[in-house]
Amino acid sequence: MESSSIDSNILSLSMLEEDEHSHHQFSSISKLHSNVPTTTSVHDLLECPVCTNSMYPPIHQCHNGHTLCSTCKTRVHNRCPTCRQELGDIRCLALEKIAESLELPCRYISLGCPEIFPYYSKLKHEGICNFRPYNCPYAGSDCSAVGDIPYLVAHLRDDHRVDMHSGCTFNHRYVKSNPMEVENATWMLTVFHCFGQYFCLHFEAFQLGMAPVYMAFLRFMGDEREARNYSYSLEVGGNGRKLTFEGSPRSIRDSHKKVRDSHDGLIIYRNMALFFSGVDRKELKLRVTGRIWKEQQNPDGGVCIPSMCA
């Protein structure tokens, strides 16, 4: 009887030790899993502490393991911004390898982009994403405003006091008391609303080589693919003569300067502009007229036919 009691106690103690050992193993595994970084925390690790942008190879680190992007490495004069130790040329290959395994949503998900990309493909996509915000199309100032089209329309109206018009035809009058002065800062902008879209009509004076010129052109407030659905014409004249231009509006994705420097619009040399203005040529008086129409696909013949707005 006594031997049986001792064996029973030994068995109970052994089972208790196994339970404690199993609990210890489970606890250790739980701690291990809790220390594995989530996608969010890894993404935080890939954020440069200087510029706060995502880091891409080469990712640099100091001897203490603090990381930063290659662009900021030159800015901090080879000193770690965290511990002030010399950086050297140490690559954080482990973090670069971890980044390869990540898939992240586009940064413009809040603006409607549903795409998810591998970490190293994400940056390339975001540079051409159709949902990325637009820059302010206002010319003549370094305006830093960015946003979607409704925001920029309100911004142009309220902050830049731009004239807003509805309709797809326009009659723009430009008067200058001293036409011998042509400055690059001489410009005008008008916004037109038609076909449910917004268009920016630019008119300005600048030097083209040694020759002073006036130029009018239209930009579409939307992306390049949508812009190709529309066409416009411009006309200026007087004294029995006229100049005309017809083309597709450029997207505001293209900067105002890029469109102007490509001469994609109606260009009027000053001598011709003064001829249009009248016989005395002492005052510049130009009237630029135009219209916007939408190209529609003919389902039968496959030919584009213009659609005029009411």
Side-chain angles (χ1 to χ4, degrees), residues 23-306:
H23 175 75
H24 177 71
Q25 282 186 320
F26 179 77
S27 178
S28 299
I29 293 170
S30 298
K31 287 179 181 178
L32 180 63
H33 280 293
S34 67
N35 290 330
V36 174
T38 63
T39 301
T40 303
S41 62
V42 171
H43 190 256
D44 291 339
L45 289 174
L46 287 164
E47 183 180 279
C48 175
V50 179
C51 64
T52 70
N53 292 326
S54 296
M55 294 187 290
Y56 294 87
I59 299 175
H60 297 277
Q61 69 174 21
C62 72
H63 291 282
N64 293 324
H66 304 125
T67 57
L68 80 164
C69 71
S70 57
T71 302
C72 290
K73 183 175 182 287
T74 59
R75 296 176 183 171
V76 298
H77 307 292
N78 207 38
R79 289 285 175 184
C80 175
T82 305
C83 66
R84 308 307 300 167
Q85 295 296 314
E86 186 176 350
L87 284 169
D89 292 310
I90 307 173
R91 288 270 294 273
C92 187
L93 299 177
L95 195 56
E96 292 179 8
K97 198 70 177 177
I98 289 173
E100 290 181 2
S101 65
L102 295 181
E103 289 192 344
L104 299 171
C106 172
R107 67 182 297 184
Y108 305 121
I109 185 172
S110 62
L111 297 178
C113 183
E115 304 293 340
I116 296 177
F117 294 91
Y119 184 81
Y120 291 138
S121 303
K122 179 173 170 286
L123 188 65
K124 182 179 179 180
H125 160 78
E126 289 171 352
I128 58 173
C129 178
N130 289 332
F131 293 92
R132 71 191 189 278
Y134 296 87
N135 295 318
C136 174
Y138 192 75
S141 67
D142 295 326
C143 182
S144 59
V146 295
D148 58 13
I149 299 304
Y151 168 80
L152 288 181
V153 170
H155 166 70
L156 289 171
R157 182 191 63 231
D158 300 335
D159 298 330
H160 293 296
R161 305 296 181 185
V162 169
D163 289 336
M164 316 291 286
H165 297 277
S166 294
C168 59
T169 61
F170 44 86
N171 193 331
H172 184 93
R173 191 165 184 264
Y174 183 78
V175 178
K176 187 172 177 62
S177 58
N178 186 359
M180 303 311 292
E181 294 180 0
V182 176
E183 301 291 341
N184 287 339
T186 304
W187 42 259
M188 295 181 69
L189 172 64
T190 307
V191 174
F192 292 88
H193 181 237
C194 61
F195 299 109
Q197 306 288 349
Y198 289 92
F199 300 83
C200 295
L201 175 64
H202 296 266
F203 186 85
E204 63 183 78
F206 62 98
Q207 292 286 144
L208 183 57
M210 297 298 293
V213 299
Y214 301 93
M215 182 177 178
F217 57 92
L218 197 73
R219 287 201 292 167
F220 174 73
M221 296 188 71
D223 65 31
E224 297 90 339
R225 289 178 301 175
E226 290 181 278
R228 288 193 288 267
N229 294 327
Y230 301 91
S231 296
Y232 76 103
S233 64
L234 295 171
E235 181 178 304
V236 62
N239 286 334
R241 303 288 189 272
K242 67 179 179 180
L243 290 175
T244 60
F245 173 85
E246 186 173 305
S248 295
R250 297 279 285 272
S251 166
I252 60 171
R253 294 286 189 206
D254 289 335
S255 70
H256 161 269
K257 185 178 185 300
K258 180 179 180 180
V259 179
R260 191 193 75 176
D261 291 350
S262 68
H263 309 154
D264 191 4
L266 177 64
I267 296 179
I268 315 150
Y269 286 86
R270 184 171 63 189
N271 287 340
M272 182 61 73
L274 292 174
F275 176 80
F276 290 152
S277 298
V279 291
D280 59 4
R281 298 193 176 192
K282 293 180 179 179
E283 187 177 43
L284 185 72
K285 297 179 181 178
L286 289 179
R287 186 177 297 278
V288 179
T289 60
R291 64 185 179 93
I292 305 167
W293 65 92
K294 185 175 184 180
E295 303 287 356
Q296 289 188 335
Q297 195 74 22
N298 188 335
D300 298 324
V303 180
C304 286
I305 55 176

